[in-house]
Amino acid sequence: MVQLYNLHPFGSQQVVPCKLEPERFCGGGQDALFVAAGCKVEAFAVTGQELCQPRCAFSTLGRVLCLAYSEAGDYLAVIEEKNKATFLRAYVNWRSKRTENCRVCIRMVGHNVEAPFSDTYKDQMSIIEMPLSEAPLCISCCPVKGDLLVGCSNKLVLFSLKYQIINEEFSILDFERSLIIHIDNIIPVEISFCIGYVALMSDLEVLILKLESDPKNGESVNHQPPKTNNPMKQTEDVSSETLQLESDDFVICQKPMELLGEKSSQSGISVTLESTGLADEKTKYYHVQHLLYKRFAPDISSYVFSDDIKLHSLQLLPIYQTGSLTSGRKNLSQKKELLSLFCFFSLPHVGYLYMVVKSVELMSVYQYPEKSQQAVLTPQFLHVIASNNLQCFTVRCSAAAAREEDPYVDTTLKACPPVSMDVCALRIQLFIGLKAVCHFKNHLILLTKADPEAIPERRDSPKRLLSRKGTSGKLKAPPVAEAGWNLYIVDTISPVQLYKEMVDYSNTYKTAKTQSCIHLLSEAHLLVRAALMDAHQLEPGEKAELLEAFKESCGHLGDCYSRN
């Protein structure tokens, strides 16, 4: 159940001054926004309430199909297309690109750079070529280590971030192809990677794995599901044979399924790890642990509308250890230590949020009032776009992480609202022609087009979408540029400001003595708690203000419970 309030989580709004119509865009770090159109990328500086300022622009070697930014290493990973072939490249030292005509260094991944060339690489942007035996389909950067994971049709390739030391004063960023994850029977459309956790998604399936670096009995890594009489696997084989023989009058589809923990290894998807890194590599993955497999079944009555049955917006969200909320320390630890991890993915009309650390558990189900196109998960909110509105939902990540941080949180001296509490929609903001969204820091980037009849980026025949082996993993070129587009930056207001509005709003329920008062105060408490768990990005004054609001929210909840 989703409760609806009419609060104001969105603040200022400004237009990104793009010269060409955006086809792809992404943000990251503290102030970086990249907008790609054709074979050109524009980088913008986004800081505070100031206007979005162009920082630099550079040409790519091919048409941009996909891009991802990594704050660790400060690089931009790009999948490009040229002459009907796709390539993977990383653009590093891009901040040195003062003008579009500046020289650029191009080098192969793992290529040793000699000392006499150090000044060249230090002062110029570099393009790192990453050759692959198969065409890259999707990419994801680890938000902590900066490693790059690449999805291909039947495998994932991991490039570990490293630095080549040229001399005592200078080192250059580089990668090493350290691991190949062979995965059969599923073609990834989206992937997400975070500190050894891997999530991949096809049109109707989601698989979550954990790569383990502790060797067991000194053996090399190879993991495959047991080859016993697995009825599901037999059914899969039969379905595969049937698909080859089916006529145009019949469609084969599989039943929906959810397998948690090690049971997910019975999904019929074989996983094998192949280590390709050097012997002295610091982190080597030896084993894979299955965490979740979920398969959805399409609605046959509406199968002709292929986009109505596709998954979208796969995302892994980490929550880090930041120390006790009630401690008097002014400087919280800056070291990122994983406390909990969450996975979100969505169908057009419903979204799913899972907790995947220590145990795999479905936390929340989001029912959307309209068909969604894309969603982004943050520690505080879930932002969802439909064709004509931006929706903001609350999440339960901080409530779950609080219990990981302090197992004794529910006592007579301290407590936290339950994870099972209903989520709520804080705001439904109207926009015309929403097409895409991304998030970084406290910014939402929204692409709008006035024409509602834009062609979807992924279009396959409805029949092929109903089977795993018929799924197409090819990247399609974006539609032809149309008039009437805009790229917006919408800032979310500060947690303390929204907290105060939620407390004021809850006062309307006090006289009625309903559960809405407790629910809204609980939402306000979790909002402040989530902001404190992400306090490494805040200034000391903001931390102190949040801590004061946290203590106040505890008093409000205690008072509300005592009166009810």
Side-chain angles (χ1 to χ4, degrees):
M1 178 179 177
V2 177
Q3 300 193 35
L4 177 61
Y5 298 100
N6 189 23
L7 298 169
H8 301 82
F10 308 122
S12 61
Q13 174 181 307
Q14 55 180 301
V15 176
V16 181
C18 304
K19 296 181 180 178
L20 300 175
E21 178 180 357
E23 296 173 356
R24 303 287 185 271
F25 56 92
C26 72
Q30 298 297 315
D31 62 348
L33 172 61
F34 299 92
V35 182
C39 298
K40 184 176 180 180
V41 174
E42 294 180 86
F44 297 89
V46 184
T47 56
Q49 301 295 326
E50 299 178 4
L51 294 178
C52 179
Q53 298 292 337
R55 169 170 277 157
C56 66
F58 54 89
S59 298
T60 58
L61 301 182
R63 185 181 185 88
V64 176
L65 301 179
C66 179
L67 72 167
Y69 171 77
S70 173
E71 184 176 3
D74 193 27
Y75 69 87
L76 184 69
V78 180
I79 296 179
E80 305 174 10
E81 185 271 335
K82 188 174 184 179
N83 298 328
K84 297 183 179 181
T86 53
F87 305 89
L88 175 66
R89 299 182 174 104
Y91 291 77
V92 303
N93 203 24
W94 56 272
R95 297 179 189 270
S96 298
K97 196 76 164 57
R98 304 301 180 188
T99 64
E100 193 168 351
N101 296 326
C102 289
R103 294 181 59 185
V104 175
C105 302
I106 303 177
R107 54 188 167 97
M108 191 68 67
V109 62
H111 174 71
N112 290 326
V113 179
E114 302 297 335
F117 299 96
S118 61
D119 291 339
T120 301
Y121 285 99
K122 184 176 182 180
D123 299 331
Q124 296 181 3
M125 184 179 78
S126 297
I127 303 175
I128 303 178
E129 296 274 359
M130 302 183 186
L132 295 166
S133 59
E134 296 183 12
L137 303 177
C138 44
I139 52 179
S140 178
C141 302
C142 175
V144 178
K145 295 184 177 181
D147 298 339
L148 175 64
L149 187 68
V150 186
C152 302
S153 60
N154 62 354
K155 63 186 178 184
L156 307 178
V157 182
L158 178 62
F159 289 90
S160 298
L161 178 67
K162 68 175 187 179
Y163 290 87
Q164 285 190 35
I165 299 177
I166 305 301
N167 52 48
E168 295 180 356
E169 300 179 353
F170 179 59
S171 62
I172 64 171
L173 182 147
D174 200 3
F175 296 88
E176 178 186 358
R177 190 176 67 171
S178 58
L179 183 71
I180 299 177
I181 309 172
H182 297 276
I183 302 180
D184 296 334
N185 299 328
I186 185 171
I187 299 177
V189 172
E190 294 184 33
I191 58 175
S192 186
F193 181 61
C194 181
I195 324 179
Y197 288 86
V198 177
L200 66 152
M201 182 182 77
S202 66
D203 284 326
L204 291 174
E205 298 169 286
V206 175
L207 178 66
I208 304 178
L209 308 168
K210 179 184 179 184
L211 305 177
E212 298 181 329
S213 57
D214 296 329
K216 298 179 180 178
N217 301 325
E219 298 178 356
S220 61
V221 55
N222 271 317
H223 176 90
Q224 293 184 1
K227 297 182 179 180
T228 56
N229 293 329
N230 187 339
M232 181 177 171
K233 179 62 176 175
Q234 293 176 0
T235 303
E236 180 73 21
D237 296 338
V238 172
S239 298
S240 301
E241 296 174 4
T242 306
L243 283 170
Q244 297 175 1
L245 301 175
E246 68 177 352
S247 68
D248 292 337
D249 299 326
F250 295 92
V251 172
I252 302 299
C253 62
Q254 297 173 323
K255 295 180 179 180
M257 177 178 293
E258 180 183 75
L259 300 173
L260 302 178
E262 282 301 318
K263 290 184 179 180
S264 60
S265 63
Q266 302 172 12
S267 63
I269 300 175
S270 65
V271 181
T272 305
L273 304 188
E274 176 188 349
S275 179
T276 59
L278 300 177
D280 60 348
E281 185 185 350
K282 292 182 179 180
T283 302
K284 296 183 72 68
Y285 295 110
Y286 294 90
H287 300 271
V288 61
Q289 178 184 354
H290 289 253
L291 299 178
L292 171 69
Y293 172 77
K294 192 174 182 70
R295 182 175 67 206
F296 297 87
D299 182 2
I300 301 300
S301 63
S302 62
Y303 78 95
V304 293
F305 304 104
S306 59
D307 289 328
D308 288 341
I309 58 175
K310 288 183 179 180
L311 289 162
H312 65 76
S313 304
L314 176 70
Q315 184 180 347
L316 289 174
L317 176 72
I319 300 292
Y320 305 107
Q321 183 88 33
T322 58
S324 174
L325 293 177
T326 57
S327 67
R329 291 177 297 170
K330 295 183 179 180
N331 296 321
L332 299 177
S333 174
Q334 297 296 315
K335 182 180 179 181
K336 290 186 176 182
E337 181 180 349
L338 185 65
L339 177 64
S340 193
L341 186 70
F342 305 90
C343 182
F344 174 83
F345 49 88
S346 181
L347 287 169
H349 294 284
V350 58
Y352 299 87
L353 179 61
Y354 283 81
M355 181 172 59
V356 297
V357 168
K358 294 186 179 179
S359 63
V360 182
E361 177 185 351
L362 176 62
M363 290 179 52
S364 303
V365 177
Y366 293 87
Q367 298 285 345
Y368 310 137
E370 298 182 35
K371 177 186 173 183
S372 67
Q373 299 182 161
Q374 197 176 351
V376 288
L377 179 67
T378 74
Q380 290 88 11
F381 303 113
L382 172 69
H383 299 287
V384 181
I385 61 169
S387 60
N388 291 312
N389 61 64
L390 168 64
Q391 306 162 26
C392 178
F393 297 89
T394 57
V395 296
R396 300 287 166 259
C397 299
S398 58
R403 285 165 172 78
E404 295 293 329
E405 190 175 42
D406 185 0
Y408 305 102
V409 71
D410 290 322
T411 65
T412 56
L413 298 179
K414 50 187 174 179
C416 179
V419 176
S420 58
M421 185 175 65
D422 289 340
V423 297
C424 69
L426 297 183
R427 183 76 175 178
I428 298 180
Q429 185 77 34
L430 297 180
F431 282 88
I432 298 177
L434 280 169
K435 300 300 177 185
V437 61
C438 79
H439 172 271
F440 71 100
K441 204 176 178 183
N442 65 321
H443 309 294
L444 284 171
I445 315 301
L446 302 173
L447 174 62
T448 65
K449 291 184 181 179
D451 184 2
E453 302 296 330
I455 302 174
E457 292 180 7
R458 288 188 289 140
R459 174 172 289 178
D460 298 301
S461 65
K463 182 183 298 183
R464 295 189 65 191
L465 289 175
L466 302 183
S467 66
R468 175 188 295 149
K469 297 207 171 187
T471 303
S472 173
K474 295 183 179 180
L475 288 166
K476 302 300 179 70
V480 178
E482 302 173 358
W485 59 268
N486 276 301
L487 193 65
Y488 296 102
I489 297 179
V490 179
D491 292 336
T492 55
I493 66 175
S494 69
V496 172
Q497 183 179 348
L498 183 56
Y499 160 79
K500 293 178 179 178
E501 183 179 350
M502 297 173 84
V503 172
D504 292 340
Y505 199 112
S506 69
N507 292 331
T508 61
Y509 298 104
K510 278 187 177 181
T511 56
K513 295 185 178 180
T514 63
Q515 288 298 316
S516 296
C517 179
I518 296 178
H519 185 274
L520 196 51
L521 287 175
S522 298
E523 295 288 7
H525 179 87
L526 291 178
L527 171 66
V528 177
R529 183 182 284 271
L532 281 170
M533 286 183 170
D534 200 25
H536 63 278
Q537 297 183 357
L538 301 176
E539 297 296 330
E542 294 176 303
K543 295 178 186 177
E545 189 178 18
L546 275 172
L547 190 57
E548 184 63 28
F550 176 79
K551 295 177 180 178
E552 180 184 290
S553 70
C554 294
H556 285 312
L557 277 177
D559 179 65
C560 192
Y561 272 106
S562 65
R563 289 185 291 102
N564 289 276

